Amino acid sequence: MKSAQVDLVKGTARLPLRRGRLKSGELVWFILTDTTDENLAKLHGLVFSPKLTYGLTGKGAREATIAPDGTFVFESGKVDFASQRKVVPGKGPNFFPPKSAQPGSIGDADYSPLVHIENAGTNMVFNAPMVAFGTDEKRLNEFCDGHVDHSLVHDKVVAICPREGYVTLQLTIGFTFGKPILYLSTEASDPLVATLEAATYAPALKSFPFALEDASPGEPAERLYTFVNGPTGIENPQRQGLDSALSDGRGPLNVLGGVPTINLDYSPMWRLFPAKWTPSAIEHGYRSRMTDAIEIEDMASKGFIKSIDDGSLRPVGFVVNCPVVYRVN
């Protein structure tokens, strides 16, 4: 993502902070990460994702116009950032599912990070996650050097500075095709997933079309695999999964499918495939860190990886918004 200034040591990305407003007048602070328009992607340093056009279904995307001064004016969609994110791990050794989970920010029924704009007969979709809502510039400028109040901003915000025009967000580490990647995690269609990802719960994303494969037109998302019962232990080089995230306090190290520079079918929206190692795989010592979607599917075909309900490995209907920012070569 060329618009992002990535700090590989801190694991953060600084992006241009955009100021818009709702049609009803409230301030909206947001970022732009992806778009269906290739020329605008190049102009603004965004990622080109034509598949997002398929998100124009139900409440999958909200409408906006561009004001004479260039401001995005959103028809609807609010986010309440006041909630405090809380998660209580389950009793080990199976820390997932947690005993309780409360997302730190919640979108209303109309909020989606995807925004549809029609301009001069051209339809464009932008991925425009909201990072603050209804808070004035003076208050947010108090967080230019960090120490942010997460009751006012997205839980991934490390620093936000309207007077300088930037916001710094914490990145998430994952893998694709055997290589590490860094991505943003901003929204999820399920409250538990949103809590675990420190993302905004956006119920409108439940209306996304579901075709699963690119061979079937209409699929706006890609595949994301998250392990439930991967190896744990903060010093374990094989650690991975939700049990580890809840007990070790680090990310789950998810595995993503098609990403920019590798696949033309990239989308920042991901269909969640929860994966679970079988007792046989654990007994044979096969449980280890996985970094490639093809290898995961191969292990699943051999019966060593199942879905969360012990059925075949498959998506369970949850969608997460995870724009890819950086890939390690």
Side-chain angles (χ1 to χ4, degrees):
M1 191 180 298
K2 297 185 184 303
S3 62
Q5 299 177 34
V6 178
D7 187 324
L8 294 177
V9 175
K10 296 180 179 179
T12 60
R14 177 180 286 192
L15 286 89
L17 177 64
R18 317 282 178 169
R19 175 175 177 158
R21 68 176 186 272
L22 281 187
K23 190 176 181 180
S24 53
E26 297 96 324
L27 279 175
V28 175
W29 302 96
F30 65 102
I31 58 173
L32 294 177
T33 61
D34 313 82
T35 181
T36 57
D37 188 289
E38 188 170 13
N39 290 326
L40 291 179
K42 293 177 180 178
L43 178 65
H44 296 295
L46 311 180
V47 182
F48 176 48
S49 177
K51 282 177 63 171
L52 289 181
T53 301
Y54 292 134
L56 292 173
T57 302
K59 291 183 177 293
R62 54 196 177 122
E63 297 294 322
T65 57
I66 299 177
D69 63 355
T71 301
F72 277 35
V73 180
F74 303 94
E75 289 290 320
S76 60
K78 301 179 181 181
V79 176
D80 181 359
F81 292 99
S83 299
Q84 181 180 357
R85 176 178 174 265
K86 297 179 181 179
V87 58
V88 178
K91 185 177 180 180
N94 300 316
F95 299 93
F96 181 87
K99 292 180 181 179
S100 62
Q102 168 65 48
S105 51
I106 302 173
D108 67 10
D110 295 318
Y111 174 71
S112 169
L114 297 189
V115 177
H116 172 239
I117 295 176
E118 183 177 351
N119 187 29
T122 300
N123 289 288
M124 302 167 285
V125 177
F126 289 93
N127 191 11
M130 192 186 299
V131 295
F133 177 75
T135 304
D136 63 33
E137 181 173 336
K138 182 179 179 180
R139 182 73 173 98
L140 292 181
N141 279 330
E142 296 176 14
F143 311 130
C144 288
D145 296 324
H147 307 290
V148 301
D149 181 349
H150 283 120
S151 69
L152 299 175
V153 299
H154 196 286
D155 281 331
K156 289 295 176 67
V157 172
V158 176
I160 186 167
C161 193
R163 69 167 175 258
E164 300 292 337
Y166 70 81
V167 59
T168 303
L169 299 127
Q170 190 68 47
L171 295 171
T172 301
I173 300 174
F175 294 97
T176 184
F177 293 98
K179 298 287 187 179
I181 56 171
L182 295 170
Y183 60 91
L184 295 168
S185 186
T186 55
E187 284 88 11
S189 65
D190 178 79
L192 173 57
V193 177
T195 304
L196 295 174
E197 291 284 330
T200 296
Y201 171 42
L205 293 180
K206 294 177 182 178
S207 66
F208 253 52
F210 184 75
L212 185 58
E213 297 295 345
D214 296 318
S216 178
E219 174 55 86
E222 276 294 302
R223 296 180 174 218
L224 184 150
Y225 300 85
T226 186
F227 279 88
V228 173
N229 62 341
T232 61
I234 193 64
E235 301 296 334
N236 184 355
Q238 297 297 320
R239 75 155 203 93
Q240 183 177 44
L242 299 177
D243 277 345
S244 172
L246 288 168
S247 62
D248 301 324
R250 298 290 181 87
L253 301 175
N254 296 327
V255 180
L256 285 68
V259 299
T261 73
I262 297 179
N263 287 66
L264 296 176
D265 60 356
Y266 161 75
S267 170
M269 312 303 292
W270 301 88
R271 194 78 65 189
L272 192 62
F273 284 65
K276 185 169 73 172
W277 290 100
T278 64
S280 176
I282 297 172
E283 180 183 346
H284 285 84
Y286 296 154
R287 180 168 60 173
S288 60
R289 178 180 294 178
M290 304 295 285
T291 60
D292 189 304
I294 296 174
E295 293 177 352
I296 292 173
E297 289 291 342
D298 180 58
M299 292 295 282
S301 70
K302 295 173 181 176
F304 297 121
I305 295 175
K306 297 287 187 178
S307 188
I308 194 170
D309 61 354
D310 294 320
S312 60
L313 184 60
R314 66 194 187 281
V316 294
F318 301 151
V319 175
V320 291
N321 184 17
C322 297
V324 174
V325 176
Y326 189 92
R327 178 174 183 264
V328 180
N329 292 319

PDB file of all heavy atoms in Angstrom, residues 234-251:
ATOM      1  N   ILE A 234       4.706 -18.585  24.236  1.00  0.00           N
ATOM      2  CA  ILE A 234       5.239 -17.344  23.692  1.00  0.00           C
ATOM      3  C   ILE A 234       6.613 -17.526  23.074  1.00  0.00           C
ATOM      4  O   ILE A 234       6.989 -16.838  22.130  1.00  0.00           O
ATOM      5  CB  ILE A 234       5.262 -16.246  24.793  1.00  0.00           C
ATOM      6  CG1 ILE A 234       5.495 -14.872  24.178  1.00  0.00           C
ATOM      7  CG2 ILE A 234       6.269 -16.574  25.857  1.00  0.00           C
ATOM      8  CD1 ILE A 234       4.415 -14.396  23.271  1.00  0.00           C
ATOM      9  N   GLU A 235       7.411 -18.468  23.577  1.00  0.00           N
ATOM     10  CA  GLU A 235       8.746 -18.709  23.042  1.00  0.00           C
ATOM     11  C   GLU A 235       8.768 -19.821  22.004  1.00  0.00           C
ATOM     12  O   GLU A 235       9.830 -20.167  21.480  1.00  0.00           O
ATOM     13  CB  GLU A 235       9.711 -19.046  24.179  1.00  0.00           C
ATOM     14  CG  GLU A 235       9.839 -17.956  25.243  1.00  0.00           C
ATOM     15  CD  GLU A 235      10.418 -16.675  24.687  1.00  0.00           C
ATOM     16  OE1 GLU A 235      11.165 -16.732  23.679  1.00  0.00           O
ATOM     17  OE2 GLU A 235      10.120 -15.590  25.241  1.00  0.00           O
ATOM     18  N   ASN A 236       7.619 -20.386  21.713  1.00  0.00           N
ATOM     19  CA  ASN A 236       7.532 -21.503  20.771  1.00  0.00           C
ATOM     20  C   ASN A 236       7.556 -20.972  19.335  1.00  0.00           C
ATOM     21  O   ASN A 236       6.650 -20.253  18.928  1.00  0.00           O
ATOM     22  CB  ASN A 236       6.241 -22.282  21.022  1.00  0.00           C
ATOM     23  CG  ASN A 236       6.116 -23.514  20.148  1.00  0.00           C
ATOM     24  OD1 ASN A 236       6.945 -23.764  19.270  1.00  0.00           O
ATOM     25  ND2 ASN A 236       5.072 -24.296  20.380  1.00  0.00           N
ATOM     26  N   PRO A 237       8.569 -21.305  18.544  1.00  0.00           N
ATOM     27  CA  PRO A 237       8.639 -20.792  17.166  1.00  0.00           C
ATOM     28  C   PRO A 237       7.522 -21.333  16.271  1.00  0.00           C
ATOM     29  O   PRO A 237       7.320 -20.820  15.173  1.00  0.00           O
ATOM     30  CB  PRO A 237      10.011 -21.255  16.691  1.00  0.00           C
ATOM     31  CG  PRO A 237      10.330 -22.439  17.528  1.00  0.00           C
ATOM     32  CD  PRO A 237       9.721 -22.163  18.861  1.00  0.00           C
ATOM     33  N   GLN A 238       6.794 -22.338  16.744  1.00  0.00           N
ATOM     34  CA  GLN A 238       5.695 -22.902  15.968  1.00  0.00           C
ATOM     35  C   GLN A 238       4.334 -22.361  16.391  1.00  0.00           C
ATOM     36  O   GLN A 238       3.315 -22.745  15.822  1.00  0.00           O
ATOM     37  CB  GLN A 238       5.697 -24.431  16.111  1.00  0.00           C
ATOM     38  CG  GLN A 238       6.925 -25.116  15.559  1.00  0.00           C
ATOM     39  CD  GLN A 238       7.084 -24.916  14.066  1.00  0.00           C
ATOM     40  OE1 GLN A 238       6.107 -24.942  13.320  1.00  0.00           O
ATOM     41  NE2 GLN A 238       8.319 -24.713  13.621  1.00  0.00           N
ATOM     42  N   ARG A 239       4.291 -21.463  17.370  1.00  0.00           N
ATOM     43  CA  ARG A 239       3.013 -21.026  17.917  1.00  0.00           C
ATOM     44  C   ARG A 239       2.136 -20.383  16.844  1.00  0.00           C
ATOM     45  O   ARG A 239       2.611 -19.681  15.948  1.00  0.00           O
ATOM     46  CB  ARG A 239       3.214 -20.070  19.089  1.00  0.00           C
ATOM     47  CG  ARG A 239       3.634 -18.675  18.690  1.00  0.00           C
ATOM     48  CD  ARG A 239       3.237 -17.647  19.763  1.00  0.00           C
ATOM     49  NE  ARG A 239       3.149 -16.333  19.123  1.00  0.00           N
ATOM     50  CZ  ARG A 239       2.033 -15.828  18.637  1.00  0.00           C
ATOM     51  NH1 ARG A 239       0.913 -16.506  18.722  1.00  0.00           N
ATOM     52  NH2 ARG A 239       2.023 -14.644  18.061  1.00  0.00           N
ATOM     53  N   GLN A 240       0.827 -20.630  16.965  1.00  0.00           N
ATOM     54  CA  GLN A 240      -0.134 -20.097  15.993  1.00  0.00           C
ATOM     55  C   GLN A 240      -1.549 -20.380  16.476  1.00  0.00           C
ATOM     56  O   GLN A 240      -1.804 -21.422  17.084  1.00  0.00           O
ATOM     57  CB  GLN A 240       0.078 -20.738  14.615  1.00  0.00           C
ATOM     58  CG  GLN A 240      -0.811 -20.214  13.508  1.00  0.00           C
ATOM     59  CD  GLN A 240      -0.494 -20.855  12.160  1.00  0.00           C
ATOM     60  OE1 GLN A 240      -0.311 -22.061  12.067  1.00  0.00           O
ATOM     61  NE2 GLN A 240      -0.401 -20.045  11.124  1.00  0.00           N
ATOM     62  N   GLY A 241      -2.460 -19.480  16.204  1.00  0.00           N
ATOM     63  CA  GLY A 241      -3.861 -19.760  16.437  1.00  0.00           C
ATOM     64  C   GLY A 241      -4.487 -18.995  17.585  1.00  0.00           C
ATOM     65  O   GLY A 241      -3.848 -18.206  18.276  1.00  0.00           O
ATOM     66  N   LEU A 242      -5.781 -19.253  17.796  1.00  0.00           N
ATOM     67  CA  LEU A 242      -6.562 -18.517  18.777  1.00  0.00           C
ATOM     68  C   LEU A 242      -6.239 -18.925  20.206  1.00  0.00           C
ATOM     69  O   LEU A 242      -6.248 -18.089  21.111  1.00  0.00           O
ATOM     70  CB  LEU A 242      -8.049 -18.702  18.486  1.00  0.00           C
ATOM     71  CG  LEU A 242      -8.514 -18.182  17.120  1.00  0.00           C
ATOM     72  CD1 LEU A 242      -9.991 -18.469  16.901  1.00  0.00           C
ATOM     73  CD2 LEU A 242      -8.239 -16.691  16.981  1.00  0.00           C
ATOM     74  N   ASP A 243      -5.961 -20.218  20.440  1.00  0.00           N
ATOM     75  CA  ASP A 243      -5.526 -20.631  21.775  1.00  0.00           C
ATOM     76  C   ASP A 243      -4.264 -19.872  22.168  1.00  0.00           C
ATOM     77  O   ASP A 243      -4.121 -19.408  23.306  1.00  0.00           O
ATOM     78  CB  ASP A 243      -5.256 -22.138  21.815  1.00  0.00           C
ATOM     79  CG  ASP A 243      -6.524 -22.949  22.015  1.00  0.00           C
ATOM     80  OD1 ASP A 243      -7.552 -22.375  22.405  1.00  0.00           O
ATOM     81  OD2 ASP A 243      -6.473 -24.178  21.786  1.00  0.00           O
ATOM     82  N   SER A 244      -3.345 -19.730  21.213  1.00  0.00           N
ATOM     83  CA  SER A 244      -2.104 -19.007  21.478  1.00  0.00           C
ATOM     84  C   SER A 244      -2.373 -17.518  21.687  1.00  0.00           C
ATOM     85  O   SER A 244      -1.832 -16.910  22.610  1.00  0.00           O
ATOM     86  CB  SER A 244      -1.118 -19.198  20.319  1.00  0.00           C
ATOM     87  OG  SER A 244       0.011 -18.359  20.467  1.00  0.00           O
ATOM     88  N   ALA A 245      -3.222 -16.933  20.849  1.00  0.00           N
ATOM     89  CA  ALA A 245      -3.508 -15.503  20.966  1.00  0.00           C
ATOM     90  C   ALA A 245      -4.106 -15.178  22.324  1.00  0.00           C
ATOM     91  O   ALA A 245      -3.767 -14.169  22.951  1.00  0.00           O
ATOM     92  CB  ALA A 245      -4.451 -15.063  19.847  1.00  0.00           C
ATOM     93  N   LEU A 246      -4.997 -16.036  22.816  1.00  0.00           N
ATOM     94  CA  LEU A 246      -5.666 -15.780  24.081  1.00  0.00           C
ATOM     95  C   LEU A 246      -4.770 -16.058  25.284  1.00  0.00           C
ATOM     96  O   LEU A 246      -4.914 -15.431  26.334  1.00  0.00           O
ATOM     97  CB  LEU A 246      -6.940 -16.626  24.173  1.00  0.00           C
ATOM     98  CG  LEU A 246      -8.089 -16.184  23.256  1.00  0.00           C
ATOM     99  CD1 LEU A 246      -9.168 -17.242  23.197  1.00  0.00           C
ATOM    100  CD2 LEU A 246      -8.672 -14.863  23.731  1.00  0.00           C
ATOM    101  N   SER A 247      -3.840 -17.005  25.149  1.00  0.00           N
ATOM    102  CA  SER A 247      -2.986 -17.356  26.287  1.00  0.00           C
ATOM    103  C   SER A 247      -1.632 -16.657  26.251  1.00  0.00           C
ATOM    104  O   SER A 247      -1.056 -16.348  27.297  1.00  0.00           O
ATOM    105  CB  SER A 247      -2.764 -18.869  26.336  1.00  0.00           C
ATOM    106  OG  SER A 247      -2.100 -19.339  25.172  1.00  0.00           O
ATOM    107  N   ASP A 248      -1.119 -16.378  25.059  1.00  0.00           N
ATOM    108  CA  ASP A 248       0.218 -15.789  24.919  1.00  0.00           C
ATOM    109  C   ASP A 248       0.198 -14.288  24.695  1.00  0.00           C
ATOM    110  O   ASP A 248       1.240 -13.625  24.756  1.00  0.00           O
ATOM    111  CB  ASP A 248       0.974 -16.456  23.764  1.00  0.00           C
ATOM    112  CG  ASP A 248       1.128 -17.962  23.955  1.00  0.00           C
ATOM    113  OD1 ASP A 248       1.306 -18.378  25.113  1.00  0.00           O
ATOM    114  OD2 ASP A 248       1.067 -18.703  22.958  1.00  0.00           O
ATOM    115  N   GLY A 249      -0.982 -13.735  24.408  1.00  0.00           N
ATOM    116  CA  GLY A 249      -1.083 -12.293  24.233  1.00  0.00           C
ATOM    117  C   GLY A 249      -0.511 -11.772  22.934  1.00  0.00           C
ATOM    118  O   GLY A 249      -0.200 -10.582  22.819  1.00  0.00           O
ATOM    119  N   ARG A 250      -0.357 -12.609  21.947  1.00  0.00           N
ATOM    120  CA  ARG A 250       0.128 -12.200  20.622  1.00  0.00           C
ATOM    121  C   ARG A 250      -0.914 -12.538  19.569  1.00  0.00           C
ATOM    122  O   ARG A 250      -1.899 -13.224  19.848  1.00  0.00           O
ATOM    123  CB  ARG A 250       1.448 -12.918  20.302  1.00  0.00           C
ATOM    124  CG  ARG A 250       2.587 -12.590  21.263  1.00  0.00           C
ATOM    125  CD  ARG A 250       3.078 -11.167  21.095  1.00  0.00           C
ATOM    126  NE  ARG A 250       4.173 -10.843  21.992  1.00  0.00           N
ATOM    127  CZ  ARG A 250       5.457 -11.057  21.739  1.00  0.00           C
ATOM    128  NH1 ARG A 250       5.808 -11.633  20.584  1.00  0.00           N
ATOM    129  NH2 ARG A 250       6.386 -10.718  22.605  1.00  0.00           N
ATOM    130  N   GLY A 251      -0.684 -12.072  18.337  1.00  0.00           N
ATOM    131  CA  GLY A 251      -1.631 -12.306  17.262  1.00  0.00           C
ATOM    132  C   GLY A 251      -1.733 -13.774  16.882  1.00  0.00           C
ATOM    133  O   GLY A 251      -0.830 -14.573  17.172  1.00  0.00           O
TER     134      GLY A 251
END
